[in-house]
Amino acid sequence: AFLKTFSGSSSLVGQRVFTVLQPDTGAELFINLKAVYTGVDDDGITIVIAMEDVTEQLKLQEEQKIARLQLYRSARLASIGTLASGVAHEINNPLTSILGFSSALLDRRKNDEVIEDDELREYLGIINAEALRCRDIVENRAKFAREADTETVRVNIRQCIDDACKLTHSR
């Protein structure tokens, strides 16, 4: 069938890989068959055929493919580990503030200390803002994982500085 297909084509070269079973072992051999049409003479069509055992080459290519897939998987797992470490670190900062301010309020209530309304509002505002920051960190990582478009937003730098000062200078 291969030669009939080849001889009917306008191409001068044909090539195909065949699988052959070794009679004594039953092992598969992969044979690359190349044929070159040299013309027509009195005896009919003339074709030169060359066969090459490419079993080892194909096995090596398959092993390389498996090794590449394992390398990609390892790199992906390393990236996930780095991402998880970054998320843990980034979430730890607002959680530390939440824990610190809520603990301060609880301790003061436990000791029956008076907490002024302004101070209570400020502490609860910080706790709320930091909880929202945790939510945003998780949301942003989820967006990153979905490869969503990057969103640019305007930020009031003065407000960022004020918020940072509030976190570092509790009453």
Side-chain angles (χ1 to χ4, degrees), residues 20-91:
V20 178
L21 293 178
Q22 284 185 323
D24 52 339
T25 64
E28 280 187 328
L29 290 178
F30 296 94
I31 306 297
N32 185 17
L33 186 129
K34 295 179 185 178
V36 177
Y37 171 74
T38 59
V40 178
D41 60 17
D42 293 340
D43 295 329
I45 296 173
T46 305
I47 298 173
V48 176
I49 297 174
M51 294 189 298
E52 175 187 16
D53 181 354
V54 292
T55 306
E56 290 303 317
Q57 290 172 319
L58 292 177
K59 284 181 182 178
L60 181 61
Q61 288 174 358
E62 185 63 26
E63 288 171 4
Q64 288 173 342
K65 179 181 173 184
I66 290 168
R68 272 193 308 274
L69 290 173
Q70 289 173 338
L71 180 63
Y72 295 150
R73 183 170 185 250
S74 295
R76 190 170 57 246
L77 289 174
S79 295
I80 289 169
T82 302
L83 178 65
S85 173
V87 168
H89 176 75
E90 203 169 335
I91 287 179

